[in-house]
Amino acid sequence: MEDPYSFCEICRINHTSGKKHSFSSKHTARLKTILKKFGSKISDSKKKLLNPVISKASSELSAVNVWCYMCSVEVKRHVADHHAIIMDAGLLEHLATSEHAKKVHQFFWENRLSKEQKKNYLVNEEGLDSFKEALKNALACYENEEETQLKKQAMKIKAIECTQTNVVNQKEDDLQITTQSEQQSGPSSGHSSGSWGNSSSGIKPHSKVQTEGVVYSDGLTFIGRSNCLPDGNVHTGAVPPWLRADDGEPTQTKPIGPTEQDFQEHLKKERKRKLNPARVGANFDRTSTNNPDWMPSFGRVWNSGRRLQSKQQYQRETGNWKKRKTMNGHHSGKY
């Protein structure tokens, strides 16, 4: 028994309409969208038949694929050649195959499309041959440009290396001149014997470094470093100055950092911070003292007077109070 259902590749559904399905509004709209989408990619690729485009190799471009709706297969759009990528070469080769031409003919026949549009989705052999010829010249130009760029980069690197070498050599020459001048001047150049005699030995732990006097020379004045503290400094393991007691003040044993009382106050503030600031009694002054004979009046909670007056006062403040009068001028109604 023949299966009454047919599967439509365009709409991706099973139907029982037979050939009538090709003329349905849903199928026609879907087919129009597919042809426009696929046709734009083919038109962009055909522009590169006479002017091939070559770019640097990258994993993103080499992984780009195109779905052919006529053949129902996925085709690689670009072709990788050594260190370069030929744009749209894979799609152009697929459009020029005989299998694609057969599938296009079948696709147009099944969907009742005009035969005049077939050429928009095909590439003839002559166009593919011209693309290959133009591609040879494009590859040669691309290789020459790459070699030129590599030479320029190599020249830049050599120039940088030469500059670095000259700087190093200059520093070495300056250092040699400095050492020679120091050797010629000798230790008796006006400095005291205890100032610079042991400068090369460094500072030993727990040692007292002292520099004495002021040294004069032609146009220059050297001010020696002052004597260090008798107990050493922070680098020799002594107590830093900001932790020492001032002269004439008794030594205090106050602990460094916040005390336990400060910590408790901090916790109290943190607990209050989580409470609602608009709660009842949040702004109440608990430090104020009142007369023991004081008692609140319950007119308007804390105000004196009748409750009716408190209600009228509240309505005046909110703007909802209207004085009702009768013809005789008396109040009417209830509040």
Side-chain angles (χ1 to χ4, degrees):
M1 184 177 179
E2 186 178 358
D3 190 5
Y5 290 94
S6 300
F7 181 74
C8 179
E9 293 286 348
I10 304 299
C11 302
R12 309 295 298 173
I13 59 172
N14 291 314
H15 61 87
T16 58
S17 301
K19 296 180 179 180
K20 295 181 181 180
H21 177 74
S22 301
F23 301 96
S24 62
S25 59
K26 184 178 180 180
H27 179 85
T28 305
R30 176 67 176 166
L31 183 63
K32 185 178 179 180
T33 304
I34 287 174
L35 292 177
K36 184 178 180 181
K37 182 180 178 181
F38 189 51
S40 64
K41 296 179 181 178
I42 293 176
S43 62
D44 292 342
S45 300
K46 285 185 175 181
K47 293 178 182 178
K48 300 180 179 65
L49 284 172
L50 299 177
N51 297 316
V53 178
I54 302 173
S55 64
K56 292 183 179 180
S58 64
S59 58
E60 296 179 357
L61 291 176
S62 59
V64 175
N65 297 326
V66 178
W67 180 260
C68 180
Y69 293 93
M70 284 74 175
C71 304
S72 298
V73 294
E74 199 171 39
V75 182
K76 278 192 171 296
R77 184 164 185 172
H78 312 301
V79 175
D81 182 30
H82 299 292
H83 300 291
I85 289 182
I86 305 170
M87 306 297 291
D88 294 326
L91 181 58
L92 292 174
E93 288 180 356
H94 174 74
L95 297 176
T97 58
S98 58
E99 295 180 359
H100 178 74
K102 293 178 182 178
K103 293 291 184 180
V104 169
H105 178 73
Q106 182 181 357
F107 183 85
F108 273 70
W109 181 80
E110 290 178 352
N111 294 282
R112 307 298 189 272
L113 297 174
S114 176
K115 296 180 180 180
E116 298 177 355
Q117 299 180 4
K118 280 186 180 180
K119 60 182 181 180
N120 297 332
Y121 302 92
L122 295 172
V123 174
N124 52 23
E125 294 182 358
E126 296 178 357
L128 188 62
D129 293 339
S130 62
F131 173 74
K132 291 180 179 179
E133 291 294 331
L135 184 60
K136 293 180 181 179
N137 299 329
L139 284 173
C141 295
Y142 178 78
E143 290 177 357
N144 293 333
E145 290 179 358
E146 287 294 318
E147 289 180 359
T148 305
Q149 293 293 332
L150 289 175
K151 289 180 181 179
K152 289 181 179 180
Q153 292 179 0
M155 292 177 64
K156 289 182 180 179
I157 293 171
K158 287 181 180 179
I160 293 172
E161 290 179 351
C162 291
T163 305
Q164 292 177 350
T165 304
N166 294 333
V167 171
V168 172
N169 293 334
Q170 184 67 27
K171 289 184 177 180
E172 290 179 353
D173 295 339
D174 295 342
L175 183 61
Q176 290 178 359
I177 294 171
T178 304
T179 53
Q180 290 176 1
S181 62
E182 288 179 355
Q183 291 175 359
Q184 292 176 0
S185 62
S188 60
S189 60
H191 296 281
S192 61
S193 60
S195 299
W196 304 100
N198 298 327
S199 61
S200 60
S201 60
I203 299 175
K204 298 180 180 180
H206 303 288
S207 64
K208 298 181 181 179
V209 181
Q210 295 182 355
T211 57
E212 300 176 356
V214 178
V215 179
Y216 298 95
S217 63
D218 297 338
L220 298 176
T221 302
F222 172 77
I223 301 176
R225 289 177 292 182
S226 61
N227 296 337
C228 297
L229 294 174
D231 296 335
N233 52 28
V234 292
H235 303 288
T236 58
V239 180
W242 55 87
L243 295 180
R244 297 175 184 174
D246 296 336
D247 297 338
E249 292 185 1
T251 305
Q252 297 179 358
T253 58
K254 184 179 179 180
I256 301 174
T259 60
E260 183 178 359
Q261 183 179 0
D262 297 336
F263 179 67
Q264 294 297 335
E265 291 179 357
H266 171 71
L267 293 179
K268 187 176 180 181
K269 290 180 180 179
E270 287 294 323
R271 286 194 296 269
K272 284 188 176 181
R273 188 174 61 84
K274 297 178 182 180
L275 299 176
N276 184 10
R279 67 188 186 278
V280 177
N283 299 325
F284 182 71
D285 186 9
R286 302 182 184 278
T287 60
S288 62
T289 57
N290 297 316
N291 191 357
D293 297 334
W294 177 86
M295 285 294 290
S297 62
F298 295 94
R300 189 181 177 188
V301 184
W302 306 116
N303 296 344
S304 61
R306 298 181 299 164
R307 293 179 181 272
L308 180 60
Q309 294 175 352
S310 300
K311 182 179 179 181
Q312 292 175 358
Q313 182 183 357
Y314 174 75
Q315 290 178 348
R316 289 192 189 96
E317 292 176 358
T318 56
N320 297 326
W321 183 76
K322 292 183 181 179
K323 193 173 181 181
R324 299 181 183 179
K325 293 185 178 180
T326 59
M327 295 298 297
N328 297 330
H330 298 284
H331 292 280
S332 63
K334 295 182 179 181
Y335 291 98

